[in-house]
Amino acid sequence: METIGQILTATIAVIERIGVHNLTIDLVAAEAGVSKGGVLHHFPTKTALIVAAMRQDMETLMMEIDETADATVNFASALAQLARRVALEEGGVSPAFLVTAAEIPEAAGVLATMFSTLVERAGKDDKAGSIDSTLVLFASYGILISMGMKSFQPSAEELAALLDKLDAFAARA
C-alpha cells in the first residue's frame, strides 16, 4: 500500500508540474522512486493511474472537509475554511486537474462524483428552506477555480476581505 501511495502522490506532482499530456509512466516511476514495471504492476494504463491519483486526491480533500466540519459549527464553515486554505496556500484549484477532468472522461467522473457528494452534504446541512451551505459551496469553488485559471487575481487585501465575508456568511448558515 505504501508503494501505491508513493505512485499516486508522484502522479499528482507530475500532473501539477508538467500537465497530464506530458505525464509518462517513466516520469511517475522516477518521481516515486520505483521501477516502471512497479507502476505498471499496480496501474496497467496511464488512464488508470491518472484516475486513481485523482480519486485519492479527492478522497483526501473529502477527509479534510470532514475533519474540519467536525471541528467547526457547520459544514458551510468547513467549506469556507477549506476555500481559505486552498486560495492562500495553493492559489486556487490546479488548472492541470481541470484540464485532466476535461480531457479524460473517467477523471471527469471522479470530479463529478466528488462535487455531487459535496452538493448533497451541503443540502443536508441547510436548514429548512435555506440554501446557505449550498451557496457557500458554489462560491468557494467559483473563487478557487477562477483563481486557479488566473481569471480572478485579487490583491491580498481583496482576497482576505472576500474570504472573511465567506466565513461570516458560512458561520450564519
Side-chain angles (χ1 to χ4, degrees):
M1 291 307 274
E2 185 178 326
T3 300
I4 291 172
Q6 288 173 276
I7 292 168
L8 296 178
T9 299
T11 302
I12 299 289
V14 171
I15 289 172
E16 288 183 347
R17 191 170 57 248
I18 63 170
V20 70
H21 295 294
N22 297 318
L23 179 136
T24 66
I25 300 295
D26 289 321
L27 287 172
V28 171
E31 180 87 18
V34 300
S35 69
K36 181 177 181 177
V39 174
L40 291 171
H41 172 73
H42 297 289
F43 305 100
T45 66
K46 179 177 166 180
T47 297
L49 175 63
I50 292 166
V51 170
M54 284 192 71
R55 185 170 287 117
Q56 175 184 299
D57 202 51
M58 295 301 115
E59 288 171 2
T60 300
L61 180 68
M62 293 298 288
M63 286 190 319
E64 183 178 345
I65 292 170
D66 287 341
E67 289 169 5
T68 305
D70 288 345
T72 62
V73 176
N74 58 35
F75 186 67
S77 291
L79 292 170
Q81 286 183 22
L82 176 70
R84 178 177 295 276
R85 185 194 63 72
V86 173
L88 296 176
E89 294 176 13
E90 300 173 26
V93 173
S94 168
F97 278 115
L98 298 175
V99 169
T100 301
E103 298 194 5
I104 300 174
E106 296 91 338
V110 170
L111 195 59
T113 298
M114 190 247 354
F115 197 74
S116 294
T117 301
L118 288 173
V119 169
E120 182 180 318
R121 297 238 348 251
K124 288 179 182 176
D125 191 58
D126 286 329
K127 298 170 183 81
S130 164
I131 59 166
D132 293 351
S133 293
T134 304
L135 287 171
V136 170
L137 172 64
F138 281 95
S140 297
Y141 275 84
I143 292 165
L144 298 176
I145 289 171
S146 59
M147 284 181 70
M149 298 302 293
K150 307 293 187 226
S151 61
F152 176 58
Q153 297 178 303
S155 68
E157 296 81 22
E158 291 169 327
L159 181 58
L162 179 63
L163 294 171
D164 288 346
K165 287 182 181 187
L166 187 62
D167 283 338
F169 183 79
R172 292 189 306 265

